[in-house]
Structure formats: C-alpha cells, structure tokens
Amino acid sequence: MRSIISYGIALSFLLGFFSCKNDPVEVNELTRKDTLPLLTTQNVDLLVSDSAKLKVHLTAPREEDFAGDDPRSVFRQGVYIEFFDSVGNINSHMEAMYGERRPKKQETIVKRKVVVVNVDGDKLETEKLIWDERNQKIYTDAAVKITTAEQILFGNGMTADSDFTNYEITEPTGSIWLNDNE
C-alpha cells in the first residue's frame, strides 16, 4: 500500500513538472524593458542648460526611468518645473501631480491638478497639459481656467508659448467682458 502511494506521489510530481512550460509571449511580456524602471531616483533636482544658459529647473520627489522602444521618465509623485528666459530669469513655472517626459518625442505630459503661472502672474489650471519642447509650445484639449489680473477665462483646449505669455483658448466658454473703448 505504501509503495502505491509513493508511486502516486512520484507520478503526480513528474506530471506536474513536465506539464509546466513557459509561454514565450508571457515571458517576453514580463521581461520587456519598459515594464519595470531601469533607474529610480529620489529627491530629483535637475538643471537643463543650452549653450551655458539655464533653460529649465525640474524638481520631483521621485523619478522612474524606463527603457525600450519609447524611453520615458515618469514622475508619479508630482513634478515642479521652472522655465528661464535668455538672461536667466524665471519667466514661468509649472506643477502637476503626475508627469512623464518622452525624450524621443521631445515632449513632457503633465496630468492632475496642473498649474502654470507666467511672469505676469497669469495662472492656467487644467487636468492635462503637453509641453512640446521642439516647438516651445504648451497645449491641451482638456478644460482650462485662466486667471489674469482683470478676468477669469474658461474654455476647452488651449495653445500657448512655453512661457505662457501668448495663449489662445480653442473653445472659450462663459461670459467675456469687452471694453467699449477698444
């Protein structure tokens, strides 16, 4: 009786051992370069310059860098970015609860409680914003609220220079006051 049980256990073990195989698609999916961060950095403080002139100052609690076909840096715990003019003065800043930089596309996408403030104090609030680094533009198709010294503007979608000085709301909504003298 004992030998029958021993043979049964051995047979079950062998069948279980030989019946297991790794699905190559599953293995490749789990080991892709872009599923786990290649590098994780805490307390990020990054300065970006061009021709020895400071252009961008980025700070974040945590950065995760991913490799693969579409390499990216992810800021899951938020990001704060300052933009500088040609003489080194801050001309705008941007903050968000989430950020993602894609160097191949030369764009940064920020989401959740996005706030941009320019040198004049104009403030943009939205839930998603894309910074096109190549063309020095920021844009969104999400709802926007722009607060200036004189008015509050609402709309859906917006395009602006990266320093948020010249902007255009794609679909303005709400009331707009016009001055009769202009």
Side-chain angles (χ1 to χ4, degrees):
M1 179 72 170
R2 197 171 226 184
S3 63
I4 293 174
I5 293 173
S6 296
Y7 286 128
I9 291 173
L11 182 61
S12 296
F13 177 74
L14 285 173
L15 286 175
F17 181 75
F18 287 113
S19 67
C20 291
K21 58 182 170 179
N22 292 327
D23 179 14
V25 174
E26 256 183 68
V27 170
N28 286 338
E29 187 65 29
L30 289 173
T31 59
R32 275 187 7 223
K33 289 181 181 177
D34 59 353
T35 56
L36 293 173
L38 186 64
L39 175 69
T40 300
T41 308
Q42 303 290 337
N43 300 318
V44 178
D45 193 345
L46 175 69
L47 298 171
V48 178
S49 62
D50 184 15
S51 304
K53 291 185 179 183
L54 185 60
K55 295 293 183 185
V56 176
H57 180 210
L58 180 146
T59 56
R62 179 183 172 108
E63 175 183 3
E64 297 172 327
D65 291 324
F66 293 84
D69 294 336
D70 186 20
R72 64 201 183 281
S73 298
V74 177
F75 306 94
R76 295 182 202 281
Q77 297 176 357
V79 63
Y80 181 84
I81 305 170
E82 294 174 325
F83 299 94
F84 295 84
D85 63 16
S86 59
V87 293
N89 297 318
I90 297 173
N91 61 11
S92 65
H93 67 267
M94 174 190 317
E95 63 183 304
M97 301 296 290
Y98 174 90
E100 193 170 302
R101 180 165 188 279
R102 297 183 177 268
K104 273 189 174 179
K105 294 181 179 180
Q106 291 188 343
E107 72 178 15
T108 299
I109 302 165
V110 290
K111 299 177 184 176
R112 298 194 319 267
K113 296 185 181 178
V114 179
V115 176
V116 179
V117 178
N118 68 17
V119 71
D120 298 326
D122 297 347
K123 181 166 86 169
L124 163 68
E125 297 172 83
T126 186
E127 285 301 307
K128 179 181 179 186
L129 190 68
I130 299 171
W131 172 34
D132 179 346
E133 299 168 29
R134 185 177 298 133
N135 297 312
Q136 293 299 300
K137 298 283 184 188
I138 57 175
Y139 62 92
T140 184
D141 56 2
V144 296
K145 175 184 175 185
I146 298 175
T147 306
T148 69
E150 297 86 31
Q151 59 190 342
I152 299 175
L153 306 168
F154 295 94
N156 294 314
M158 185 241 23
T159 302
D161 295 337
S162 61
D163 62 2
F164 187 56
T165 52
N166 298 310
Y167 52 84
E168 180 180 321
I169 298 175
T170 309
E171 296 176 23
T173 61
S175 300
I176 299 175
W177 295 92
L178 299 175
N179 186 346
D180 289 337
N181 297 333
E182 293 180 11

